[in-house]
Amino acid sequence: MPVDTLRWQHIEQHIHSFLKNYGYGEIRTPAFEETGLFIRGVGKDTDVVSKEMYSWVDQGNNNLTLKPELTAPVVRSFIQHKLGRLQPINRLYYIDALFRRERPQKGRQRQFHQFGVEAFGSEHPEMDVEVISIAYHIYKSFGLKELSVKINSIGSPEVRPTYLKELKSQLESHSEKLCKTCNHRLSTNALRVFDCKNSNCQLVLDEFAPVISDFLSDDDRIHFDMVLNLLSELKIPYTLDNKLVRGLDYYTRTTFEITSSALGSQDALCGGGRYDKLVEQLGGDSTPAVGFAAGMERLLIVLDDISEPIQQNCDIYMVILGEKALSKALIIANNLRVDLNLSVITESSRRSVKAQMKEANRQGARFAIILGENEIKNGLATIKNMNEGTQEEIELNKIIEYFKENRKR
Ligand code: AMP
């Protein structure tokens, strides 16, 4: 609804200017992609791909899917446009709609929106920290207080097989306590057991899952320690969460999430991490990358509680009395909009003066211009200052000049 859209526009504008200050450029990708992109990019055993995609076969026999996440399309586009060959570091951001067939509830829709960043080209910890810092500070700049940054390292792909083997063997000894889906996950991708919402499965993980940080390589550890040190230096508070693996297959090393206690059960505001192998995996040159995606609707839920509703007031209501005043009024209104960038609403229902003044009030107009047949005959208009209740007569050809002086709100 327009009243909601005003708030969206306000938030979007803030995101655009905030991210430009960090040197990020906006990328827009199509609403749908070939289904294979998500199967290869996000992973076929993830909830998103195995349960939640809106996919179809088009009349040319192509398998297509409405975007269920935004990193894989950005990577596809990054490769297609050879961005990595044009410059070594590419900082991109988006604000976009996506689709997942999940159970709808507060803060969880089937069509929703995310803003996010993807930074390509640096393997160094400072890039992880830049991305986490953007997420943290953008929420701060919106006035959010109850923020918590959870962080983990899931190591490089080289150490993953050893960890997965150990995880699988530990969980297999307690498979009778795991749900059916998780039992299946043991034979496909044991890491995905962490995504399960079933409390029994989470208890088994708490008790028996090996801790991923014990499996990191020396380089992984150095990288992660540097990320944590820099976060501390930047005074970004964090907590370590060794179960944070995130529900998408492409992550390597750093994973993080920001939550807000103001949100209730769906408390994640945003999530992200490093994905050093995805560009190569989708057919591009080997390029390290890190990013995050943040739910717009979740941000709106939190902001609704802490900020005033935004109202769209017009500057001028044009009160028109009689057909003879019509064309002159419409010309003046247009000139005020085009020349002075003022918002002007013109009467279109031919109501009485009283009803039109009431409408001017309802629209929150600062001024009403009253134009009737008498005014036209005398070459004058009555201008009423709605806030002060004063009114004066102004020559028709001086109206623009008058509002040039009074333009400021
Ligand atoms: P993900 O792409 O799953 O990492 O999610 C990133 C962020 O998007 C989450 O932290 C939420 O804020 C938001 N989000 C994810 N799924 C939904 C959904 N179905 N409805 C609304 N927001 C969502």
Side-chain angles (χ1 to χ4, degrees), residues 57-72:
V57 181
D58 78 357
Q59 298 184 25
N61 250 345
N62 302 297
N63 290 301
L64 302 171
T65 293
L66 287 177
K67 285 187 284 196
E69 74 96 51
L70 302 171
T71 301

Side-chain angles (χ1 to χ4, degrees), residues 100 102 107-109 112 114 246 268-270 293 295 298:
R100 291 182 191 169
E102 294 187 272
R108 191 170 284 289
Q109 293 88 3
F112 62 104
Q114 290 181 339
R246 315 245 328 113
L269 281 169
C270 80
R298 304 263 173 103

Side-chain angles (χ1 to χ4, degrees), residues 100-286:
R100 291 182 191 169
R101 199 178 179 288
E102 294 187 272
R103 193 167 62 80
Q105 54 191 288
K106 189 173 183 210
R108 191 170 284 289
Q109 293 88 3
R110 289 181 167 179
Q111 173 171 352
F112 62 104
H113 299 78
Q114 290 181 339
F115 70 92
V117 309
E118 313 290 356
F120 294 92
S122 170
E123 61 185 340
H124 298 296
E126 50 269 42
M127 198 48 117
D128 308 46
V129 171
E130 175 174 302
V131 165
I132 298 170
S133 164
I134 289 175
Y136 179 75
H137 283 113
I138 205 163
Y139 289 127
K140 282 267 184 201
S141 70
F142 276 117
L144 269 57
K145 291 204 175 70
E146 299 128 332
L147 296 174
S148 162
V149 181
K150 294 183 202 156
I151 189 163
N152 191 20
S153 173
I154 60 169
S156 46
E158 292 73 32
V159 304
R160 191 79 47 81
T162 327
Y163 175 71
L164 285 180
K165 202 167 151 216
E166 184 59 22
L167 177 67
K168 191 174 167 194
S169 103
Q170 290 295 332
L171 296 183
E172 265 169 358
S173 357
H174 304 278
S175 60
E176 74 290 350
K177 294 186 209 134
L178 295 174
C179 72
K180 207 169 138 209
T181 315
C182 283
N183 268 291
H184 177 67
R185 285 166 169 150
L186 287 184
S187 58
T188 53
N189 183 351
L191 202 62
R192 302 277 59 98
V193 176
F194 283 100
D195 306 337
C196 190
K197 294 179 182 85
N198 183 317
S199 55
N200 285 338
C201 299
Q202 288 299 327
L203 283 177
V204 174
L205 285 171
D206 283 341
E207 211 170 327
F208 303 107
V211 177
I212 203 159
S213 58
D214 293 342
F215 290 74
L216 301 187
S217 68
D218 289 349
D219 285 349
D220 292 339
R221 170 60 51 207
I222 291 167
H223 183 97
F224 193 42
D225 286 346
M226 182 78 184
V227 169
L228 300 182
N229 284 341
L230 280 172
L231 288 176
S232 303
E233 299 272 347
L234 293 182
K235 307 223 168 345
I236 298 176
Y238 61 81
T239 48
L240 295 175
D241 179 351
N242 56 31
K243 275 170 66 188
L244 186 73
V245 301
R246 315 245 328 113
L248 314 169
D249 273 356
Y250 50 65
Y251 287 111
T252 54
R253 292 194 164 162
T254 315
T255 53
F256 73 97
E257 227 169 66
I258 299 184
T259 55
S260 164
S261 53
L263 270 174
S265 68
Q266 302 299 321
D267 67 349
L269 281 169
C270 80
R274 191 164 262 293
Y275 51 94
D276 287 344
K277 300 291 172 193
L278 186 59
V279 178
E280 200 178 347
Q281 200 182 310
L282 293 177
D285 300 334
S286 168

